[in-house]
Amino acid sequence: THFGFKDVPEEEKEILVGEVFSSVAKSYDIMNDVMSLGIHRLWKDHFVSKLDPGRRPGGEPLSILDVAGGTGDIAFRMLDWASDVHNDHQTKVLVTDINPDMLGEGKKRSLSTKYADGMCTELRLQRIRYDELTYHNIEGSRISFLVQNAEFLDSVPDNSQDLYTVAFGIRNFTNIPAALKSAHRVLKPGGVFACLEFSKVNFSLFDMVYQQYSFNVIPLMGQLIAADRDSYQYLIESIQRFPDQETFAQMIRDAGFETSGPGYENLTMGIAAIHIGVKA
Ligand code: SAM
């Protein structure tokens, strides 16, 4: 397979992205730890603490949509936060992703957490055939999984969500402005769009080291650990192509969101950044 994406027509990109994530689904969680030296966990923890999800005194439980949620890293953290910090055991997360293999891994993980209590006991006991389940909302469970293209979010109603999160997903979308418009559509007025994504390093000496690591070490690790050099090569290239902090903040405003200050926060010298927008 060839993942030199620069010359790939738009319509093929979606298929290629699908292949990448199907091929990395099983090794995805471990590879994240290896490639980022575990730092992605700190970023994700910070992302969730910054958003501080959960029911406020006298308020309603939240409906949270985690887009490109993959294996559920952000979703589980948000439910933990709501439970532990806000004593909120009702807020729900809908995890959507274009790739059923990634969601399948998330679903498997959810069966060993307390959040899947509402799932049918038979399934919990047998721990089987997650792949054959359709990803629909299971009554009583606080986490559910649904295959959706982020550009359309066909099954998510207008003005229905309190919080929209997307972590390390948006750079893979073929049409980012369309995804931002859909985010705006599904959020309630006052709802929050929050994105955690790789970004541009703002310190040139460190950037040189980072570029070397990205281009030389990561594909090699992909080859050695996951026997899949091409997919990890693609991941690096997709980071390179993604717009810088300011440009992306402007795209968020162009989709109708309001931002406060610059609209973003850099993490680890800009290796990653958090962008936040509010639907007026
Ligand atoms: N959010 C998870 C995390 O932080 O661990 C998963 C991130 S993973 C790097 C990127 C995910 O984006 C993959 O699961 C992939 O299937 C998904 N994805 C790519 N294109 C998509 C699209 N157009 N709509 C929805 N999900 C998409």
Side-chain angles (χ1 to χ4, degrees):
T1 344
H2 170 63
F3 288 122
F5 259 51
K6 293 181 194 75
D7 308 320
V8 173
E10 291 266 296
E11 61 276 16
E12 278 175 41
K13 180 175 171 186
E14 198 167 299
I15 298 165
L16 289 174
V17 169
E19 286 175 10
V20 167
F21 286 103
S22 287
S23 120
V24 302
K26 286 228 169 351
S27 60
Y28 179 76
D29 290 324
I30 175 118
M31 280 304 292
N32 260 346
D33 279 331
V34 173
M35 291 190 312
S36 78
L37 313 171
I39 296 172
H40 77 107
R41 291 173 183 262
L42 305 179
W43 293 335
K44 286 170 176 169
D45 288 343
H46 177 71
F47 183 57
V48 170
S49 72
K50 186 179 174 99
L51 296 174
D52 191 16
R55 181 177 42 196
R56 299 303 193 260
E60 294 290 314
L62 306 180
S63 292
I64 303 177
L65 180 69
D66 185 33
V67 173
T71 61
D73 259 18
I74 299 298
F76 294 123
R77 277 177 173 74
M78 289 195 289
L79 290 174
D80 286 342
W81 186 275
S83 306
D84 300 346
V85 177
H86 295 283
N87 195 25
D88 165 5
H89 303 282
Q90 286 175 301
T91 279
K92 291 185 179 190
V93 182
L94 172 60
V95 184
T96 61
D97 199 287
I98 203 166
N99 190 312
D101 296 321
M102 291 292 280
L103 287 180
E105 293 298 311
K107 198 159 190 125
K108 250 188 243 180
R109 279 171 77 184
S110 79
L111 293 181
S112 57
T113 68
K114 55 184 186 259
Y115 304 120
D117 275 353
M119 288 194 189
C120 58
T121 332
E122 196 187 344
L123 176 69
R124 283 170 65 78
L125 290 176
Q126 297 182 14
R127 314 236 157 178
I128 49 153
R129 313 220 67 92
Y130 317 103
D131 49 339
E132 288 188 1
L133 296 173
T134 47
Y135 300 112
H136 58 83
N137 202 345
I138 299 167
E139 204 185 337
S141 90
R142 294 180 60 199
I143 187 161
S144 48
F145 299 86
L146 186 69
V147 174
Q148 290 278 280
N149 185 338
E151 287 161 31
F152 308 109
L153 296 174
D154 285 324
S155 307
V156 186
D158 297 358
N159 304 309
S160 62
Q161 305 297 315
D162 297 290
L163 174 61
Y164 172 119
T165 53
V166 58
F168 303 115
I170 205 162
R171 74 176 189 284
N172 300 293
F173 301 170
T174 309
N175 187 341
I176 294 172
L180 292 171
K181 281 253 173 286
S182 295
H184 194 271
R185 175 182 69 75
V186 301
L187 280 165
K188 296 174 185 172
V192 173
F193 166 87
C195 173
L196 170 61
E197 186 54 89
F198 290 109
S199 203
K200 301 292 178 223
V201 170
N202 50 16
F203 177 55
S204 63
L205 202 62
F206 180 66
D207 195 37
M208 279 167 58
V209 178
Y210 174 61
Q211 296 297 336
Q212 288 300 320
Y213 176 76
S214 298
F215 278 99
N216 298 317
V217 183
I218 289 188
L220 185 64
M221 282 184 178
Q223 185 174 354
L224 295 177
I225 298 168
D228 187 357
R229 188 183 181 96
D230 284 346
S231 294
Y232 288 91
Q233 179 73 36
Y234 158 72
L235 294 180
I236 297 310
E237 288 178 14
S238 67
I239 294 170
Q240 296 295 315
R241 281 193 314 274
F242 192 66
D244 65 26
Q245 286 84 332
E246 295 289 346
T247 308
F248 185 47
Q250 188 55 47
M251 289 168 75
I252 292 169
R253 287 187 284 268
D254 289 345
F257 290 102
E258 289 177 355
T259 58
S260 78
Y264 64 87
E265 177 192 355
N266 283 328
L267 307 178
T268 320
M269 290 184 269
I271 292 185
I274 293 173
H275 281 77
I276 288 185
V278 177
K279 177 169 171 176

